[in-house]
Amino acid sequence: MSVLLNKDSRVIFQGFTGQHATFHAEEAMKIGTKVVGGVTPGKGGTQHLGLPVFDTVEEAVRETGADVSGIFAPPPFAADAIMEAIDAGIKTIVVIADGIPVQDMVRVERYRLGTNSIIIGPNTPGIITPGVGKVGIMPSHIYSPGRIGIVSRSGTLNYEAVAQMSELGLGQSSSIGIGGDPVNGTDFATVLKAFEDDPDTDAVLMIGEIGGPQEVDAARWAKKNMRKPLIGYVAGLSAPPGRRMGHAGAIISSESDTATAKIDMMEALGMFVVRNPADIGATVLRAIKS
Amino acid sequence: MNIHEYQTKDLLKHYGVPVPPGRVVHTDAQAATVAEEIGGSRWVIKAQIHSGGRGKAGGVRVGNSIDEVRVIADEIIGSLLVTHQTGAEGRLVRRVLVEQASNIVREYYVGLIIDRATRRITLVASAEGGVEIEVVAKQTPERIIREVIDPAVGLLDFQCRKVAYKVGLKGALLPQAVKVMKGLYRCMRDNDAIMAEINPLAIVDNGQLLALDAKMTFDDNALYRRPTISELRDFDEEDPKEVEATGHGLNYIALDGDVGCIVNGAGLAMATMDAITLHGGRPANFLDVGGGATPEKVANAFRIVLQDPAVKIILINIFAGINRCDWIATGIIQAMRDQNIQMPIIVRLAGTNVEEGRTILSTSKFPFIIASNLNDAAAKAVTEVNNIVQKVVPLKKEHS
């Protein structure tokens, strides 16, 4: 998909020389991602993985023309790193950290207003465009090039869906994790729009979970604006109300937050819905054949 | 993280929000002493547990003399309070808040939430005080007033005035309402709360606004930078298994079924529970081992799941991305050996190093039930648990 990560994307990593960023930058490079350098304050001027390290994102953008950044800063420092990327004009900012204080994200979202930056995450496995590259922590070997777009809040459930699709010979145009936090940079509807406009995508799978209005908002948007088939699943059918199910954002606070309420609404809005998580792949196949 | 009412009121007082004179006590004698010290002719004795619905459960009572205060405090302290949030087993009351009783003229609701749609803190108010805001939102949504706060400038005076006028706080009450709303906002912002509410905010007979009850929930992810808030944590109010799990870097939530679950990732953990439910089974827990799970972490997961005596079988569902199936398998073997586990164990492994993981399981002496995918895993788990239940039921019948 050309909107967020394509063959022309020039990728940097913030927190580049750390253990996690190093491992995942190497993995990304192995599948062809065009990584052009990284940022670690205090290590500017050195080399890492054969690539230049910069002190600031501004300098990295000026020297390398980077337009995508994978942020591997730990949660206490992530908000500052995201705003530095926005300030430097990075277009796609992928935030892996799980555990960023929610009020930090409220401030980040305010800071982003009026810019062209898109924040993917936080608490996301990232973005992968099979055959082109990835910025994230997902196991790239399970994905294969194809024409189904995937957008999900959860990482491992995304892998589960991909495995089910692979068994049926279905590949992905791109897979995007919007993350499991209550305040995230990009919502489902925004990603659906990107897939709707993408010539390499034929159908979209949306994997949601309990908590928040995003899934239904996206379904409403799709009803009005989307022509490609949209398949939806919502995890947490058996989750008790008022408890945070692992993800900070996965909590039933009102009746409209439940998996059943969301799925029913999605079905009423004309989506293909999956009620049993074991049927995700089969439902995608049925949708594209319809 | 939740805190007690008296702790919330102490915090709010620092931010200029007026609260009734009062103090928390642990004994009936202290309750009487405090009532005398704060003065007045009527007092409220309020059970301090992390739950709503305390009043209906008999945990909030009025004493008309010092002696009555003592008697009521004695009755409440040490009792088990059963509310709609505690479950049938109830919650032990270890302390009560003794406050001067107020003559209430009118009650309002004022709260702050983080609104997920606007991604901002939103001020919420209603003239329907003393009622849960969720109930008002459902029955009379038009009576809820909202004002979205720009984090760059914070809650502004005019926004408070707008909201106050709309709920009917006018005249001499207006400046007081502004002070309460701004105090509540600053308290939420400065302490990384994710929810703060005063319910009811009451006009009392001397024309003052008073926060009669208040609740705050704090962001677990921000506690590292809020040491004074972290100290307010009361482990007595939390499930010890969940506290222990957190200590091991695991995310555990107890449920009421009999199929123990060990899964990686929150989404897949929920989906696994859903698949079990759809096959007619009942999950005993939510458990996310997270990423980079070591064999020790997996063994700890077993220990925590098995602390629940209702667990009859365990289903392990792993889709390894940054995890490694061989480490998971090693952890499973370690748990089987060290914890002498006899119940059926269903294992589904996929992703990174899956072949190595499967080999470790198949070459061990333990009779694992291997599942090929999510559906197979849920189906096998439910079949196994039904076999166990069927074996038990006829026995009971023979004895009866």
Side-chain angles (χ1 to χ4, degrees):
Chain A
M1 181 167 93
S2 58
V3 184
L4 297 171
L5 185 69
N6 59 35
K7 58 181 177 17
D8 300 320
S9 298
R10 300 173 71 80
V11 179
I12 56 165
F13 288 91
Q14 286 173 253
F16 189 35
T17 54
Q19 187 194 343
H20 288 291
T22 302
F23 176 77
H24 293 291
E26 279 181 317
E27 291 292 306
M29 287 154 76
K30 273 185 208 161
I31 63 162
T33 316
K34 199 181 286 174
V35 181
V36 295
V39 175
T40 298
K43 293 197 177 167
T46 63
Q47 294 269 313
H48 184 62
L49 308 178
L51 295 165
V53 182
F54 302 95
D55 284 318
T56 65
V57 181
E58 182 186 39
E59 192 188 0
V61 169
R62 192 176 57 231
E63 298 299 321
T64 67
D67 58 356
V68 176
S69 177
I71 296 186
F72 278 81
F77 311 104
D80 186 61
I82 301 167
M83 290 188 276
E84 185 182 1
I86 294 169
D87 172 72
I90 295 281
K91 285 201 188 73
T92 303
I93 301 164
V94 181
V95 188
I96 306 301
D98 173 5
I100 301 179
V102 66
Q103 289 199 36
D104 282 8
M105 282 311 297
V106 169
R107 285 184 277 271
V108 165
E109 277 299 296
R110 174 63 174 81
Y111 188 80
R112 187 180 65 93
L113 274 190
T115 71
N116 294 320
S117 297
I118 288 176
I119 298 168
I120 300 294
N123 192 5
T124 171
I127 306 176
I128 183 164
T129 300
V132 171
K134 72 164 181 175
V135 180
I137 58 172
M138 68 286 281
S140 44
H141 62 89
I142 67 168
Y143 296 83
S144 56
R147 302 192 58 84
I148 310 293
I150 304 181
V151 57
S152 70
R153 266 160 79 175
S154 154
T156 48
L157 193 47
N158 182 312
Y159 311 159
E160 172 68 37
V162 168
Q164 288 182 24
M165 287 166 61
S166 296
E167 275 188 31
L168 301 170
L170 296 168
Q172 303 79 39
S173 55
S174 281
S175 170
I176 294 163
I178 61 168
D181 279 7
V183 171
N184 54 9
T186 299
D187 57 16
F188 278 123
T190 306
V191 180
L192 292 189
K193 182 173 188 324
F195 277 126
E196 175 71 4
D197 297 341
D198 174 37
D200 299 328
T201 299
D202 290 342
V204 184
L205 168 64
M206 173 166 85
I207 304 171
E209 59 196 34
I210 54 165
Q214 279 198 15
E215 289 82 358
V216 171
D217 288 350
R220 286 210 179 91
W221 179 88
K223 167 97 179 156
K224 266 194 221 141
N225 303 290
M226 210 164 159
R227 291 202 313 275
K228 295 175 183 175
L230 176 61
I231 304 99
Y233 170 67
V234 178
L237 178 75
S238 46
R243 305 301 311 270
R244 264 168 226 287
M245 305 302 283
H247 285 154
I251 178 166
I252 297 171
S253 309
S254 69
E255 282 170 29
S256 60
D257 279 351
T258 65
T260 308
K262 290 190 192 194
I263 280 278
D264 287 350
M265 196 55 138
M266 284 156 65
E267 192 162 46
L269 288 164
M271 285 176 58
F272 293 89
V273 302
V274 185
R275 289 186 189 263
N276 183 337
D279 295 337
I280 297 175
T283 311
V284 172
L285 189 63
R286 185 161 57 81
I288 57 170
K289 284 192 170 165
S290 67
Chain B
M1 184 189 93
N2 291 317
I3 62 173
H4 289 292
E5 175 195 3
Y6 74 93
Q7 296 168 322
T8 305
K9 283 178 167 169
D10 281 348
L11 271 175
L12 288 175
K13 212 156 55 174
H14 284 289
Y15 287 87
V17 175
V19 299
R23 219 173 308 149
V24 71
V25 297
H26 294 82
T27 66
D28 56 336
Q30 286 172 344
T33 310
V34 165
E36 245 170 280
E37 277 174 20
I38 58 178
S41 56
R42 288 165 66 234
W43 298 268
V44 191
I45 300 98
K46 307 180 82 176
Q48 298 297 290
I49 58 168
H50 290 184
S51 171
R54 292 171 299 164
K56 270 185 201 153
V60 179
R61 290 164 62 188
V62 175
N64 292 301
S65 67
I66 300 289
D67 264 347
E68 259 185 55
V69 170
R70 190 197 325 270
V71 171
I72 293 170
D74 181 48
E75 283 171 14
I76 297 180
I77 295 169
S79 70
L80 285 169
L81 212 56
V82 180
T83 74
H84 64 290
Q85 289 173 357
T86 59
E89 70 275 19
R91 187 79 53 79
L92 178 65
V93 182
R94 294 161 201 270
R95 67 202 96 176
V96 293
L97 173 61
V98 180
E99 282 183 341
Q100 243 177 36
S102 311
N103 292 313
I104 300 165
V105 178
R106 241 213 102 113
E107 296 180 324
Y108 298 86
Y109 173 96
V110 174
L112 291 161
I113 52 158
I114 293 177
D115 179 57
R116 295 168 69 150
T118 57
R119 302 183 169 95
R120 291 188 175 185
I121 296 177
T122 300
L123 176 62
V124 180
S126 150
E128 308 294 312
V131 184
E132 279 186 40
I133 194 69
E134 292 81 3
V135 174
V136 182
K138 204 173 158 190
Q139 290 170 356
T140 47
E142 71 283 357
R143 306 212 60 172
I144 293 182
I145 310 300
R146 292 165 188 273
E147 188 71 19
V148 177
I149 301 165
D150 182 338
V153 290
L155 178 60
L156 299 166
D157 285 19
F158 84 84
Q159 293 183 296
C160 301
R161 290 198 301 271
K162 260 167 75 181
V163 170
Y165 275 122
K166 283 180 186 166
V167 297
L169 287 162
K170 297 174 184 170
L173 294 165
L174 186 66
Q176 291 185 56
V178 173
K179 196 176 172 202
V180 167
M181 291 175 193
K182 291 191 80 169
L184 187 65
Y185 173 72
R186 285 201 309 271
C187 187
M188 170 144 169
R189 182 198 58 195
D190 292 358
N191 296 296
D192 273 304
I194 51 176
M195 193 281 293
E197 68 176 18
I198 300 172
N199 189 24
L201 174 68
I203 307 174
V204 296
D205 57 3
N206 63 358
Q208 297 293 303
L209 279 182
L210 267 187
L212 294 190
D213 198 357
K215 187 182 171 198
M216 288 181 84
T217 304
F218 296 89
D219 187 348
D220 293 329
N221 290 331
L223 289 177
Y224 73 90
R225 64 187 180 195
R226 305 290 170 220
T228 52
I229 300 297
S230 300
E231 281 176 18
L232 302 180
R233 187 163 182 180
D234 183 353
F235 287 103
D236 287 336
E237 296 288 328
E238 298 178 29
D239 181 331
K241 294 197 292 292
E242 292 176 18
V243 173
E244 190 190 342
T246 308
H248 291 303
L250 302 162
N251 226 314
Y252 172 90
I253 293 170
L255 303 170
D256 54 11
D258 47 18
V259 180
C261 300
I262 296 176
V263 189
N264 69 316
L268 189 60
M270 276 189 276
T272 305
M273 286 162 42
D274 293 352
I276 293 167
T277 306
L278 288 162
H279 276 91
R282 286 159 63 237
N285 64 278
F286 166 97
L287 190 148
D288 172 12
V289 294
T294 58
E296 287 69 32
K297 206 169 167 185
V298 175
N300 284 326
F302 270 90
R303 203 164 289 125
I304 286 156
V305 168
L306 288 170
Q307 279 178 24
D308 178 354
V311 170
K312 295 196 178 71
I313 63 159
I314 294 179
L315 167 57
I316 296 146
N317 185 18
I318 300 292
F319 206 120
I322 48 176
N323 274 304
R324 295 171 46 168
C325 287
D326 51 334
W327 283 16
I328 302 279
T330 307
I332 296 171
I333 304 282
Q334 220 177 74
M336 297 299 287
R337 199 184 49 220
D338 300 348
Q339 298 171 45
N340 189 27
I341 298 165
Q342 303 295 337
M343 64 180 66
I345 307 288
I346 293 101
V347 189
R348 184 271 181 125
L349 297 178
T352 307
N353 292 0
V354 63
E355 290 311 323
E356 292 90 327
R358 282 184 188 152
T359 306
I360 291 170
L361 294 183
S362 62
T363 53
S364 79
K365 60 180 167 114
F366 301 106
F368 296 111
I369 299 164
I370 304 297
S372 54
N373 57 39
L374 175 60
N375 199 42
D376 189 31
K380 281 178 170 153
V382 174
T383 306
E384 285 299 321
V385 83
N386 286 344
N387 282 344
I388 295 171
V389 174
Q390 276 158 15
K391 273 179 204 157
V392 174
V393 173
L395 274 177
K396 273 186 188 160
K397 277 183 185 158
E398 280 168 20
H399 288 290
S400 62

